[in-house]
């Protein structure tokens, strides 16, 4: 999980300017993501990428009312959204914007922020005239280069970042995403979705509540097991007691994807099936419990089948299942 990008509100584009050195490569990736998303929607597949609802909001706006002639649409965010979108950096720019725009008829440097005069606060903060997110230079006027943000240029600095972070720095990514979708179907069809519906359709369900009663109706026994088989019932019990991270790993192990489609386990086609593992490294129809307990389960993700040895207890089952999951190292469909 240390290699994964995570944000509590989902993934949102990094605002970039016209002169960003990797601008075209970044927009190309968003276009590719749009193509992939469209194919997932058409093929009823899940793309386990937690894009934020805020990004969905821009995408759906661009899909329904595309801008023509290179014009820039009106922003749909404000500085009030900055803490949610841009975390700590967003909080700082939001505060500065509130101070410089508060309308008080006093010297700007005497306005208060965090209990300090703005002039003193800026001197202590040592803000550079660069975008704190992308690192790009923010043009605040001649004579200010190398001097950092001060009372003389803070208004220009904040106004440039506010416009970039609410509009010009993020809209092009959404437009590239929509262009990618348009290669598979008319993008205006996306306007039929709400942001939450769009996210659910291609990112999959976030909630993983698995009570026993639900699992009994969603998971089916396969060859070698019935609903009354102890290993089958023990597995359902183990699945119900798993925490969310382990549930995600389990789904990746048996389905090849850590998220479920809309409708959860019941929506899987084919359904999740639990079959008895035979002819393993140790077990067979006549093997002892001690020998059988040495074997590991394996999955066939294309058929949503978990091949489970008939372990002697639920404790052994969980131990061997977790061992198999943790040691698969993201390699699926391996015996």
């Amino acid at each position: 999980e240390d290699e994964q990008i995570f944000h509590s509100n989902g993934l949102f584009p990094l605002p970039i300017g016209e002169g960003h050195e990797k601008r075209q490569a970044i927009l190309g990736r968003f276009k590719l993501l749009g193509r992939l998303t469209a194919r997932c929607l058409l093929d009823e597949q899940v793309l386990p990428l937690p894009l934020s609802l805020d990004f969905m909001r821009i995408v759906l706006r661009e899909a329904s009312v595309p801008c023509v002639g290179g014009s820039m649409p009106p922003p749909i965010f404000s500085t009030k959204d900055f803490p949610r979108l841009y975390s700590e950096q967003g909080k700082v720019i939001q505060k500065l914007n509130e101070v410089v725009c508060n309308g008080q008829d006093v010297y700007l440097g005497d306005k208060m922020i965090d209990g300090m005069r703005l002039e003193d606060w800026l001197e202590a903060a040592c803000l550079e005239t660069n975008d704190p997110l992308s690192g790009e230079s923010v043009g605040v006027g001649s004579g200010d280069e190398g001097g950092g943000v001060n009372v003389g240029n803070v208004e220009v600095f904040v106004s440039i970042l506010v416009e970039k972070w609410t509009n010009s720095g993020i809209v092009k990514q959404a437009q590239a995403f929509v262009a990618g979708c348009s290669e598979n179907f008319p993008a205006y069809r996306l306007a039929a979705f709400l942001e939450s519906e769009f996210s659910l359709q291609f990112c999959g369900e976030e909630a993983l509540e698995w009570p026993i009663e639900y699992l009994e109706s969603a998971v089916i026994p396969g060859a070698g097991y019935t609903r009354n088989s102890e290993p089958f019932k023990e597995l359902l019990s183990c699945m119900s007691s798993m925490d969310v991270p382990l549930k995600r790993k389990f789904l990746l192990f048996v389905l090849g994807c850590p998220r479920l489609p809309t409708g959860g386990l019941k929506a899987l086609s084919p359904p999740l099936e639990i079959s008895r593992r035979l002819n393993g490294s140790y077990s067979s129809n006549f093997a002892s419990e001690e020998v059988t307990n040495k074997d590991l389960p394996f999955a066939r993700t294309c058929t949503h089948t978990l091949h489970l040895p008939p372990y002697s207890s639920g404790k052994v089952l969980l131990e061997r299942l977790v061992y198999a999951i943790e040691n698969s190292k993201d390699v699926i469909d391996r015996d």
Side-chain angles (χ1 to χ4, degrees):
E1 293 187 358
D2 293 339
E3 298 176 357
Q4 298 178 1
I5 300 173
F6 175 80
H7 191 282
S8 57
N9 295 312
L11 302 180
F12 189 80
L14 176 75
I16 56 174
E18 292 288 342
H20 193 282
E21 61 180 358
K22 296 183 179 179
R23 180 179 176 82
Q24 292 307 313
I26 291 172
L27 295 182
R29 289 167 186 162
F30 275 92
K31 188 172 184 179
L32 174 62
L33 183 58
R35 290 194 202 105
L36 183 59
T37 298
R39 288 312 315 175
C40 287
L41 290 173
L42 291 173
D43 297 339
E44 298 183 355
Q45 297 296 315
V46 173
L47 179 66
L49 188 64
L51 299 177
S52 73
L53 293 181
D54 291 303
F55 180 62
M56 306 289 186
R57 187 177 170 191
I58 311 174
V59 166
L60 296 181
R61 192 272 301 272
E62 292 301 313
S64 59
V65 188
C67 292
V68 297
S71 60
M72 190 60 60
I76 58 177
F77 300 115
S78 70
T79 55
K80 293 181 180 179
D81 301 307
F82 280 7
R84 183 181 73 256
L85 297 176
Y86 305 122
S87 302
E88 293 304 316
Q89 295 95 328
K91 292 178 183 179
V92 172
I93 300 304
Q94 181 194 30
K95 285 182 181 180
L96 284 174
N97 185 68
E98 290 174 350
V99 172
V100 300
C101 298
N102 67 8
Q104 292 179 348
D105 189 18
V106 297
Y107 171 59
L108 181 59
D110 289 336
K111 293 183 178 182
M112 303 300 291
I113 178 173
D114 292 338
M116 300 174 63
R117 294 176 60 250
L118 176 60
E119 188 167 11
D120 297 333
W121 188 94
L122 290 173
E123 183 176 351
C126 298
L127 294 178
E128 298 181 357
T129 54
N130 295 328
D131 185 327
L133 293 176
S134 68
E136 297 173 279
S137 176
V138 178
V140 294
S142 60
D144 292 323
E145 296 181 4
V149 181
N150 53 52
V151 175
N153 60 30
V154 65
E155 290 179 288
V156 176
F157 175 77
V158 170
S159 65
I160 291 174
L161 287 185
V162 168
E163 193 283 327
K164 180 181 178 183
W165 289 9
T166 58
N167 206 18
S168 64
I170 55 178
V171 167
K172 294 298 182 182
Q173 292 91 314
Q175 291 174 347
F177 184 99
V178 171
C181 287
S182 299
E183 296 181 5
N184 292 275
F185 54 74
Y188 70 83
R189 293 182 179 176
L190 294 176
F193 292 104
L194 299 174
E195 299 100 87
S196 57
E197 294 172 334
F198 189 32
S199 175
L200 192 61
Q201 282 296 318
F202 83 92
C203 291
E205 289 200 342
E206 182 68 26
L208 291 176
E209 298 296 331
W210 293 348
I212 290 291
E213 296 77 12
Y214 172 79
L215 292 175
E216 288 175 343
S217 63
V219 183
I220 64 173
Y225 287 138
T226 69
R227 294 193 178 277
N228 293 322
S229 299
E230 284 301 318
F232 180 80
K233 294 191 291 184
E234 292 288 2
L235 176 68
L236 299 190
S237 178
C238 289
M239 290 174 61
S240 180
S241 64
M242 290 176 179
D243 58 24
V244 172
L246 183 54
K247 286 178 180 176
R248 296 250 179 253
K249 292 178 181 180
F250 174 81
L251 292 176
L252 182 62
F253 183 70
V254 298
L255 306 179
C257 180
R259 290 196 175 212
L260 290 167
T262 304
L265 284 170
K266 289 185 177 182
L268 290 177
S269 180
L272 177 58
E273 180 180 291
I274 312 303
S275 295
R276 177 169 176 165
R277 175 170 185 172
L278 298 175
N279 302 320
S281 301
Y282 301 97
S283 64
S284 70
N285 281 324
F286 307 102
S288 66
E289 288 186 353
E290 181 180 359
V291 173
T292 299
N293 287 344
K294 294 180 180 180
D295 245 331
L296 292 172
F298 71 93
R300 292 285 181 253
T301 58
C302 56
T303 60
H304 301 166
T305 305
L306 176 66
H307 294 266
L308 186 73
Y311 295 116
S312 59
S313 68
K315 179 181 178 182
V316 174
L317 187 155
L318 182 59
E319 288 176 353
R320 302 306 282 165
L321 178 60
V322 170
Y323 182 88
I325 292 172
E326 295 292 350
N327 287 274
S328 65
K329 300 298 182 184
D330 300 327
V331 178
I332 58 177
D333 284 0
R334 287 291 300 274
D335 189 343

